[in-house]
Amino acid sequence: MSSATASAPSKVMLLGDHAVVYGYPCIVTAADLRVQVTARLLGAPEVTIHAAGLAQPYATTVEQLVSDRELPRKVGFVAAALRHFWRSHGAAFGVELVTRSQFSQSYGLGSSSAVTVATIAALAAAAGRAVDRDRIFQLSYETVLEVQEGIGSGFDVAAATYGGTLYYVTGGKAIHPLAQGALPLVVGYSGVKARTTDYVRKVAQMQRRFPDYVGFVMESIGKTVDRARSALEQGDHELFGQYMNLNQGCLAALEVSTPELDALISAARRAGAYGAKLSGAGGGDCMIALVGEESRAPVEAAIRGLDIPGAELLAVRTGAEGVRLEPS
Ligand code: MEV
């Protein structure tokens, strides 16, 4: 039976978090920590999913998975991607899926979107279907929306699919590749795992209570992203860093920053970073700092020196390649 392996990158949101959900642009970069998925077609109408963190593989029948309303949480994205692929393929088939990740899903670096994109690409290749990146993006974004009950701009799915650094507008209305290659970033995990959907709902609640105020903050973030895009295209990292700081001010106003993130951000700025902010939904996950050649070592030392339980410095290279097939 046919089999194929695909891998997709993680992501780091550089600017535009939350505002992208409200129709403003964001800038996201793909990161080199990857998720890999192998799909092996089976002769029998059975489905088996092996994933890290599962004591035993998840096993079911094709018929059962087609009709299941509730998907098991630990394999929710993979199972939902499989169902989406079956629908688009016009037939359901037995398959064994094996997922492997180079990073913890606690970091908030987009493991769900990466595993979804890699699953779709591996299934397409195993089933002998030519599926281009735009179709992979579309199927993967639909999958993510289904699992997250309609929440999510899809910026992480775009990074996992296309790779590089992207200027992105929600739903893929704009997906423009920006600077090539890696950006000089320092990434620090705050030690706290946050649920994106909780924080998107929290901001939505604030927006209902204070529509003018939240509208003004979102618009400011949108302007910051557009100006920062020009700075990035001109290679002006110092200016881009200042926009990161302004963006962080807006995110703090939306009350999604945390004491741990604030401590990481202040330490990075004090040690000479051009700019630092939270990356993603807030409530935890990661801080990113843009550094120059001379400030990288002091910023990394400052992050390492903080006494925050569970916090750690992550080795992440940005501008990574999008989804790709791997030798099986
Ligand atoms: C979460 O990583 C980023 C948010 O903007 C949500 C989204 O864009 O889907 C908060």
Side-chain angles (χ1 to χ4, degrees):
M1 282 289 133
S2 173
S3 89
T5 298
S7 77
S10 48
K11 57 79 190 165
V12 174
M13 176 73 111
L14 295 174
L15 287 167
D17 330 54
H18 286 285
V20 65
V21 176
Y22 293 78
Y24 294 98
C26 71
I27 301 178
V28 59
T29 185
D32 63 345
L33 301 172
R34 301 183 80 85
V35 174
Q36 189 168 301
V37 177
T38 298
R40 191 167 67 87
L41 304 200
L42 303 175
E46 288 160 8
V47 173
T48 310
I49 301 173
H50 305 256
L54 282 186
Q56 293 190 355
Y58 168 78
T60 187
T61 62
V62 169
E63 199 185 350
Q64 189 67 43
L65 188 55
V66 167
S67 55
D68 266 357
R69 279 175 167 267
E70 295 269 313
L71 293 172
R73 257 199 67 169
K74 289 227 157 131
V75 294
F77 287 93
V78 177
L82 176 58
R83 285 210 303 215
H84 258 81
F85 184 79
W86 282 340
R87 258 177 249 146
S88 82
H89 187 63
F93 48 79
V95 65
E96 179 184 47
L97 291 158
V98 182
T99 74
R100 293 175 211 90
S101 179
Q102 294 177 327
F103 61 102
S104 159
Q105 58 182 31
S106 303
Y107 295 151
L109 293 180
S111 57
S112 307
S113 44
V115 82
T116 303
V117 167
T119 301
I120 299 281
L123 284 168
R129 279 283 291 268
V131 175
D132 67 12
R133 280 183 200 270
D134 293 350
R135 185 78 181 126
I136 293 176
F137 170 76
Q138 196 188 351
L139 287 172
S140 303
Y141 184 40
E142 284 165 11
T143 301
V144 167
L145 285 181
E146 181 193 317
V147 179
Q148 294 184 173
E149 295 167 358
I151 292 179
S153 65
F155 79 102
D156 41 3
V157 180
T161 306
Y162 301 96
T165 298
L166 304 171
Y167 176 91
Y168 178 87
V169 176
T170 207
K173 286 189 204 84
I175 305 179
H176 300 310
L178 298 178
Q180 297 296 312
L183 281 163
L185 273 196
V186 171
V187 180
Y189 176 54
S190 68
V192 179
K193 163 81 193 125
R195 261 172 77 107
T196 296
T197 46
D198 291 350
Y199 282 83
V200 171
R201 287 196 179 103
K202 180 180 153 122
V203 171
Q205 251 172 27
M206 196 189 231
Q207 200 251 354
R208 281 193 292 276
R209 272 194 84 191
F210 309 105
D212 296 353
Y213 173 75
V214 172
F216 172 75
V217 173
M218 296 301 184
E219 201 185 321
S220 306
I221 296 177
K223 280 189 186 146
T224 306
V225 170
D226 279 324
R227 290 174 191 175
R229 174 187 180 168
S230 307
L232 192 61
E233 283 169 338
Q234 284 156 23
D236 191 340
H237 288 178
E238 199 176 332
L239 186 55
F240 191 86
Q242 278 172 13
Y243 286 126
M244 287 169 72
N245 290 341
L246 290 169
N247 192 162
Q248 173 61 24
C250 292
L251 290 165
L254 295 175
E255 294 181 1
V256 295
S257 202
T258 64
E260 292 83 4
L261 285 165
D262 292 344
L264 287 160
I265 291 164
S266 310
R269 288 182 191 165
R270 272 200 311 272
Y274 292 138
K277 63 181 276 292
L278 67 84
S279 174
D285 293 346
C286 286
M287 174 279 333
I288 54 169
L290 191 68
V291 294
E293 259 171 44
E294 346 60 61
S295 59
R296 174 175 289 279
V299 169
E300 289 183 347
I303 301 300
R304 271 199 214 96
L306 287 173
D307 185 18
I308 302 174
E312 58 179 306
L313 190 64
L314 304 181
V316 170
R317 206 178 141 78
T318 66
E321 193 186 341
V323 65
R324 66 179 182 226
L325 292 177
E326 303 283 359
S328 276

